Amino acid sequence: MDCLALRSAASSLCLEDVLCSQGQLRLAEHLHDGKLRRNALTSQVLRTNGRISACKASSNQDAEVTLLDYGAGNVRSVRNAIHLMGFQIKDVNKPEDIENANRLILPGVGSFAAAMAKLEEKCFFLTQVKKVVTLKKPSKILAGVKRNHVYFVHSYRAVPLVENEDWVLATTVYGEEFLAAVSKGNVYATQFHPEKSGVVGLDIVRRFLDGGRSCEAEEISRVAETSSMRSGSTLAKRVIACLDVRSNDMGDLVVTKGDQYDVREQSGDQEVRNLGKPVDLASRYYEDGADEVTFLNITGFRDSPLGDIPMLEVLRSTSKRVFVPLTVGGGIRDFKDKDGRYYSSLEVASEYFRSGADKISIGTDAVYAAEEYLKTGKKTGTSSLEQISSVYGKQAVIVSVDPRRIYIKGPNDVPFKTIKVQTTGPNDEEYAWYQCMVKGGREGRPIGAFELAKAVEDLGAGEILLNCIDCDGQGNGYDLDLIKLVSEAVTIPVIASSGAGSIHHFSEVFLQTPASAALAAGIFHRKEVPIMSVKEHMMKAGIETRI
Ligand code: 1PR
């Protein structure tokens, strides 16, 4: 049996722990030491416009892949990548399905403890474990990676050691060198997510599925190689396309875009601006080179999100066509539906993950949780942020902040962190603070962006999506002061958002602030600048980016 463990080093354990003590690779090792069966497989890769679209197995039996879906995160994207390669999935329902598999895929987990609990509950946790045997083998499945960027998202890392050098297939450098992929026998494990690494990642999945025998394998490898001549060992700055989604007045889900959060036309009947269909636009941005795609259901605070079937359907359809990380936000909170049935925010998030989201983004509810935490100094463990983060891992939880700039005369006028402004306010104020808003910018709360960011990091946020109501839709550039302020507050990545109006705004935000990603909406929706031009500009400016 061939086995592929995607993102084996869970965020709560390092790869070494997984290999040496318990977990997917341990399971995989057990399987590898059992019956090794491999059917010769001839597959054909069909490629259109430089993208891998499908490969066909020679028989039905060859075309089957066994998937151990233990319900711990976004497995839909793994499913979609397998289907895209022309293979069928057999789900594991009982331990024998694993024994009988020709090829087994173990999707990665965000929170190792939660995933292991599910495996144990389903009796898939195998205790018959052998000690790791050091084997050295060349890797066919990674031949196409070369030095391209692949998508990592994890908190812990395993470093190369003398003890593991023989099974190391790839390493990457971020601060220090750490393991990116390992193999032992027919077992492969990647720390990164191939199914979220665009064409380069799909090539890895295909190579695993067809055993690297594809007649076009080398050609695809060359495509992947020439697609980036840059070093892949530096963390790339990400460009994220954002789609604000809501129902228009006819009830259809449309992508809209506001000016300072006002999404209605300024003239005529003031309808909600309609900039296109969510799935089509998301696919276009993926093909244009977006590193991630974010959907924000901007009226989620009003509606019950699980009643919002169209949004779930948007995720399901998008994840069939988009192989980079998908984020969804809007309305993630505990709520009761109209029939009085209670849903926890965890259930809401789970539904989003099952439908194809890799990360969820919490706005309003995170502000309330941060206020409570700052008031009591205690973590309750019951907020949506804490619960989702503990089950799915903090890498799967973004907090979206909606601040607006409030000018003040002096730095001590408010109990919040202030900045000295470059351009004075309307009444010659020299200072400002950033007030957090909730409910789509409708209500101001007594908490600053700096304080909020610090609190939500403590509560389990893995990233901050930092919008700016003043800059939203203005096209005058990002609020660099705000981004610097919030970056000082946290150690987690900050996504700069709101205000991009030209390619120069992207290089500006990356060169002048520590932002790890830049999110933009209007500039892409209006086709003012293609994402690829932004990336080329960033490369010219010496900013590491995935091309
Ligand atoms: O509070 O958990 O229900 O989440 C609601 C989410 O919806 C929040 O993430 C909030 O930021 C977002 N949201 C609510 N109302 C609006 C609105 O526009 N009326 N959109 C809204 C937020 C900001 C960005 C936008 C950037 C880039 N829009 O998403 O895409 O500002 O735009 P630009 O490049 O065109 O300047 P909850």
Side-chain angles (χ1 to χ4, degrees), residues 242-244 257-258 260-263 296-301 329-333 361-365 400-402 438-442 465 467-468 471-475 478 497-500 519-523 526:
C242 183
L243 297 92
D244 289 352
K257 184 67 214 75
Q260 300 182 326
Y261 284 35
D262 182 356
V263 297
L296 295 177
N297 186 352
I298 67 170
T299 48
F301 69 90
I332 296 179
R333 63 178 197 286
S361 155
I362 310 175
T364 302
D365 213 42
S400 169
V401 190
D402 295 324
V438 294
K439 299 180 180 168
R442 285 166 182 79
L465 164 51
N467 303 297
C468 174
C471 298
D472 175 55
Q474 304 306 294
Y478 295 93
S497 167
S498 307
L519 174 147
I523 189 173
R526 294 186 296 266

Side-chain angles (χ1 to χ4, degrees), residues 511-527:
L511 293 174
Q512 294 189 29
T513 79
S516 67
L519 174 147
I523 189 173
F524 299 142
H525 300 337
R526 294 186 296 266
K527 297 192 177 166

Side-chain angles (χ1 to χ4, degrees), residues 387-445:
Q387 289 192 43
I388 299 166
S389 171
S390 76
V391 172
Y392 288 96
K394 61 191 254 177
Q395 84 295 331
V397 182
I398 297 180
V399 166
S400 169
V401 190
D402 295 324
R404 66 169 181 186
R405 184 183 280 217
I406 312 259
Y407 289 100
I408 45 177
K409 292 277 184 206
N412 301 320
D413 287 4
V414 287
F416 309 110
K417 182 111 171 163
T418 57
I419 56 157
K420 190 155 185 357
V421 293
Q422 319 255 339
T423 315
T424 52
N427 300 310
D428 293 331
E429 296 95 335
E430 291 187 345
Y431 289 84
W433 70 289
Y434 287 91
Q435 182 184 27
C436 293
M437 309 291 287
V438 294
K439 299 180 180 168
R442 285 166 182 79
E443 184 189 323
R445 299 297 304 179

Side-chain angles (χ1 to χ4, degrees), residues 40 46 80 186 307 319 458-459 484 521 539:
L46 309 172
N80 289 336
N186 283 352
S319 65
D458 273 6
L459 292 174
K484 285 182 207 158
M539 272 177 68

Side-chain angles (χ1 to χ4, degrees), residues 304-361:
S304 54
L306 284 188
D308 206 346
I309 301 303
M311 191 65 210
L312 298 176
E313 196 44 50
V314 162
L315 281 174
R316 289 185 200 116
S317 304
T318 305
S319 65
K320 284 188 189 146
R321 290 161 66 177
V322 173
F323 291 92
V324 291
L326 285 178
T327 298
V328 65
I332 296 179
R333 63 178 197 286
D334 299 344
F335 74 98
K336 272 196 191 144
D337 69 12
K338 56 181 175 5
D339 303 320
R341 185 180 157 191
Y342 170 81
Y343 294 88
S344 71
S345 55
L346 189 58
E347 283 176 272
V348 178
S350 301
E351 196 57 46
Y352 279 142
F353 288 127
R354 269 196 292 276
S355 302
D358 299 284
K359 313 187 212 181
I360 53 93
S361 155

Side-chain angles (χ1 to χ4, degrees), residues 27 66-70 90 92 98 104-107 119 124:
L27 170 64
T66 303
L67 182 71
L68 179 51
D69 180 353
Y70 38 84
K90 178 172 173 36
V92 174
I98 298 175
L104 175 68
I105 293 194
L106 307 173
L119 280 176
F124 296 149

